[in-house]
C-alpha cells in the first residue's frame, strides 16, 4: 500500500467529538498516522505479520492503520470506554477481523502481557497543564514494554528506564 493510499483510508476513521482533557485525548491526524506507520512498516519491517500493541489507542487510528499495512494482530489498549466505543464502530465500518481492544489502564499491564507483542506503538505524550506527570507514567510503561531492541541500530537488547520519570 502506498503512503497516500494509507492516508486516504485513514481519513475515513471517526475520531473524538468531545475529547476529554484530563485524559489528554486528541485525534491523531491521518497524515501523521500514515507517515509514522509507513516508516515503521517500510523502513523497519515492524508491522506486517507482527503482533502490535497500540497503547492509548483512543479511536483506533494507529491500530486500524497497522491492520491495513498487514499486521498479524493489533490490540488497542485504552482506559476510556467512550473512545473504545468509537474504535469498535471504526472496526465494524472497515470490516476488520484481526484487531481487538482492551479497556484498561496501560500502566497496569504486566511484563508477561508486554512480551506477547512484537511492536508497541503509541502517540507521543505531549502533556497538559491539567495532567502533569501522567504522560510520563504512561511513557515509562511503554518503555518498559519495549524490552527488546526495536531497531537494528540499537546496540543492546534491553533498555534501562530512567528513574527520573
Amino acid at each position: 500500500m502506498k503512503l497516500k493510499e494509507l492516508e486516504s483510508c485513514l481519513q475515513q476513521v471517526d475520531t473524538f467529538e468531545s475529547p476529554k482533557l484530563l485524559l489528554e485525548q486528541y485525534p491523531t491526524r491521518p497524515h501523521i498516522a500514515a507517515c509514522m506507520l509507513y516508516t515503521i512498516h517500510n523502513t523497519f519491517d515492524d508491522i506486517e505479520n507482527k503482533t502490535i500493541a497500540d497503547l492509548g489507542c483512543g479511536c483506533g487510528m494507529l491500530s486500524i492503520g497497522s491492520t491495513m499495512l498487514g499486521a498479524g494482530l493489533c490490540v488497542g489498549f485504552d482506559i476510556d470506554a467512550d473512545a473504545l466505543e468509537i474504535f469498535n464502530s471504526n472496526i465494524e465500518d472497515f470490516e476488520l477481523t484481526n484487531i481487538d481492544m482492551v479497556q484498561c489502564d496501560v500502566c497496569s499491564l504486566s511484563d508477561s502481557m508486554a512480551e506477547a507483542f512484537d511492536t508497541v506503538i503509541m502517540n507521543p505524550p505531549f502533556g497538559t497543564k491539567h495532567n502533569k506527570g501522567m504522560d510520563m507514567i504512561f511513557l515509562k510503561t511503554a518503555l518498559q514494554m519495549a524490552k527488546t531492541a526495536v531497531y537494528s541500530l540499537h546496540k543492546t537488547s534491553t533498555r534501562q528506564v530512567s528513574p527520573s520519570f
Side-chain angles (χ1 to χ4, degrees):
M1 176 178 280
K2 294 183 179 182
L3 176 60
K4 289 289 184 186
E5 183 181 1
L6 177 61
E7 182 178 346
S8 178
C9 289
L10 292 178
Q11 289 174 353
Q12 306 306 312
V13 174
D14 290 334
T15 59
F16 301 106
E17 289 183 23
S18 301
K20 297 174 183 170
L21 180 63
L22 292 177
L23 293 178
E24 296 186 41
Q25 292 176 332
Y26 53 90
T28 305
R29 291 188 175 96
H31 176 73
I32 293 170
C35 288
M36 179 177 136
L37 294 171
Y38 195 78
T39 300
I40 293 168
H41 175 64
N42 288 304
T43 304
F44 303 105
D45 194 29
D46 282 335
I47 297 217
E48 189 171 10
N49 298 317
K50 305 287 187 193
T51 304
I52 312 288
D54 180 2
L55 304 183
C57 63
C59 301
M61 181 73 70
L62 297 177
S63 293
I64 291 167
S66 295
T67 302
M68 290 177 175
L69 290 172
L73 172 68
C74 190
V75 180
F77 296 88
D78 205 289
I79 197 167
D80 184 41
D82 296 330
L84 292 176
E85 187 176 317
I86 298 168
F87 186 3
N88 190 55
S89 177
N90 282 324
I91 291 171
E92 291 172 1
D93 290 348
F94 283 95
E95 300 178 357
L96 301 171
T97 58
N98 59 334
I99 192 168
D100 205 353
M101 67 193 80
V102 175
Q103 183 180 2
C104 70
D105 181 346
V106 298
C107 297
S108 67
L109 293 176
S110 67
D111 287 343
S112 60
M113 172 69 82
E115 292 171 4
F117 297 98
D118 299 312
T119 305
V120 176
I121 59 175
M122 63 180 265
N123 283 321
F126 293 107
T128 67
K129 66 180 181 179
H130 300 285
N131 200 7
K132 292 178 181 173
M134 288 307 295
D135 56 346
M136 286 294 116
I137 293 169
F138 186 84
L139 182 57
K140 180 179 178 183
T141 302
L143 291 172
Q144 286 174 335
M145 287 185 75
K147 296 227 183 256
T148 58
V150 178
Y151 304 121
S152 59
L153 60 97
H154 290 149
K155 303 294 183 209
T156 64
S157 61
T158 61
R159 288 188 214 112
Q160 296 292 324
V161 177
S162 170
S164 64
F165 282 125

